[in-house]
Amino acid sequence: MATQLKPVSEDTPVWQGRTDTGERGDTRRLFNVVRRIDPGTEVSSGSAPVLLGFACDAGVKRNQGRVGAAEGPQAIRRALANLPAHDIACLYDAGDVTCDGDALEASQQTLADAVHRQLDAGAQPVVLGGGHEIAWGTWQGLRAHLDAQGDRSRVLILNLDAHFDLRTARPGTSGTPFDQIAQACESAGLPFDYACLGVSRLSNTVSLFERANALKVTYVEDIDMQDRHLDERLAQIDALMADVAHVYLTIDLDVLPAPVMPGVSAPAAYGVPISVVEAIVTHVRRSGKLRVADIAEYNPRFDPQGTGARVAARLAYRLL
């Protein structure tokens, strides 16, 4: 099969960690509370958070990037495994969508179906990538869920990213997902509510800024996303969320500075501090409007010390 949804096997050594035998109190870590579930199994409403993986970087390859992000979901799981569980009593792992070769579109549809199923069951999935082509799959899953309910309410797509990913060339790549979403919204007669925070002027051509302006995208450059701007940014996000019923949060890890996040296809020379990114993630999570989130572009091949994996795991933890 070119694309499939695979469970994380019991034999796969990702959910392992320290055991504090003999210590007092609650010493549980995430590997102690994780439950692997068969692909396609829904988690009932009100229960534990659900992880999905998107083991794919076909879109990165098409976009002339550095491949390796397909290995990201497993590496992030390894970093998550040893984190203290705290208030997370149970965590479900619903496995990985895997893409063989160039079967990108089929993989995105498989991801969309998996997200759709979890949302229908009342879960709030967190998807681990994989290249930023993940966004086209995640959004399609959310849209299918809302359409099945007859819900045409506005959805804010909040992207923390150094790049607009509004390229218009086809077939799709890791650089096209939000243009694909814009076209889908136009075809369906739906508003395209897209905000991209952390944009690097030196990582986007004039044509991409023109495309963003034509689509009335809300964007903030990285130079205005520093710690001193945080209160202003949170207020701006609150204003954006006030006008919508649902939020889809997508985090491209290349929004972070290269020393913090070396393991991406395009490391940032400037970037947005982890303190700002984490504050935004936590703020959106607490809004009550977040329906689905994903983390994109982590590439363990360029993260020899594992720094990026720990950062990605920290952000995933905040979403859980």
Side-chain angles (χ1 to χ4, degrees), residues 59-60 62-63 132-133 163-170 172-180 208 297:
V60 175
R62 289 184 187 182
N63 200 31
H132 214 174
E133 61 266 31
H163 307 90
F164 285 117
D165 289 343
L166 286 169
R167 296 181 182 276
T168 57
R170 299 293 186 271
T173 71
S174 61
T176 65
F178 302 106
D179 190 69
Q180 291 173 278
L208 288 168
E297 296 284 343

Side-chain angles (χ1 to χ4, degrees), residues 137-158:
T138 301
W139 181 86
Q140 286 185 96
L142 174 59
R143 190 67 259 164
H145 164 71
L146 295 176
D147 288 346
Q149 297 183 328
D151 187 345
R152 292 178 63 84
S153 303
R154 292 172 66 177
V155 178
L156 172 63
I157 303 160
L158 183 59

Side-chain angles (χ1 to χ4, degrees), residues 47-259:
S47 61
V50 181
L51 284 177
L52 280 165
F54 185 63
C56 174
D57 56 12
V60 175
K61 185 175 182 180
R62 289 184 187 182
N63 200 31
Q64 305 175 54
R66 303 190 297 176
V67 298
E71 302 160 19
Q74 295 290 63
I76 298 172
R77 284 185 177 95
R78 288 189 185 94
L80 275 169
N82 204 43
L83 297 182
H86 288 295
D87 296 329
I88 301 175
C90 179
L91 168 63
Y92 289 103
D93 186 347
D96 285 342
V97 174
T98 61
C99 177
D100 294 330
D102 192 50
L104 175 56
E105 288 74 18
S107 299
Q108 289 167 320
Q109 187 58 57
T110 301
L111 174 60
D113 293 343
V115 169
H116 183 184
R117 282 193 298 270
Q118 296 299 339
L119 288 170
D120 279 356
Q124 182 181 293
V126 175
V127 191
L128 308 176
H132 214 174
E133 61 266 31
I134 195 174
W136 178 228
T138 301
W139 181 86
Q140 286 185 96
L142 174 59
R143 190 67 259 164
H145 164 71
L146 295 176
D147 288 346
Q149 297 183 328
D151 187 345
R152 292 178 63 84
S153 303
R154 292 172 66 177
V155 178
L156 172 63
I157 303 160
L158 183 59
N159 181 25
L160 304 180
D161 199 340
H163 307 90
F164 285 117
D165 289 343
L166 286 169
R167 296 181 182 276
T168 57
R170 299 293 186 271
T173 71
S174 61
T176 65
F178 302 106
D179 190 69
Q180 291 173 278
I181 294 171
Q183 289 190 326
C185 288
E186 182 179 11
S187 296
L190 294 166
F192 178 56
D193 294 304
Y194 176 41
C196 188
L197 308 184
V199 171
S200 169
R201 180 161 290 270
L202 301 184
S203 298
N204 295 269
T205 62
V206 171
S207 68
L208 288 168
F209 276 94
E210 290 175 346
R211 181 65 175 154
N213 290 331
L215 292 170
K216 297 181 171 56
V217 173
T218 298
Y219 61 86
V220 180
E221 291 189 33
D222 51 8
I223 58 173
D224 295 317
M225 290 285 296
Q226 303 305 300
D227 285 297
R228 63 185 179 276
H229 305 115
L230 180 57
D231 289 344
E232 184 180 354
R233 295 288 77 81
L234 293 180
Q236 182 180 21
I237 291 168
D238 281 341
L240 291 169
M241 291 194 297
D243 292 334
V244 302
H246 313 290
V247 177
Y248 159 38
L249 175 63
T250 179
I251 306 167
D252 189 322
L253 294 169
D254 69 19
V255 74
L256 294 160

Side-chain angles (χ1 to χ4, degrees), residues 231-297:
D231 289 344
E232 184 180 354
R233 295 288 77 81
L234 293 180
Q236 182 180 21
I237 291 168
D238 281 341
L240 291 169
M241 291 194 297
D243 292 334
V244 302
H246 313 290
V247 177
Y248 159 38
L249 175 63
T250 179
I251 306 167
D252 189 322
L253 294 169
D254 69 19
V255 74
L256 294 160
V260 175
M261 181 51 65
V264 289
S265 179
Y270 191 76
V272 179
I274 179 65
S275 55
V276 173
V277 172
E278 182 172 304
I280 291 172
V281 168
T282 303
H283 191 73
V284 173
R285 176 73 174 81
R286 290 173 176 169
S287 71
K289 293 187 175 183
L290 182 63
R291 302 293 171 255
V292 63
D294 56 38
I295 296 176
E297 296 284 343

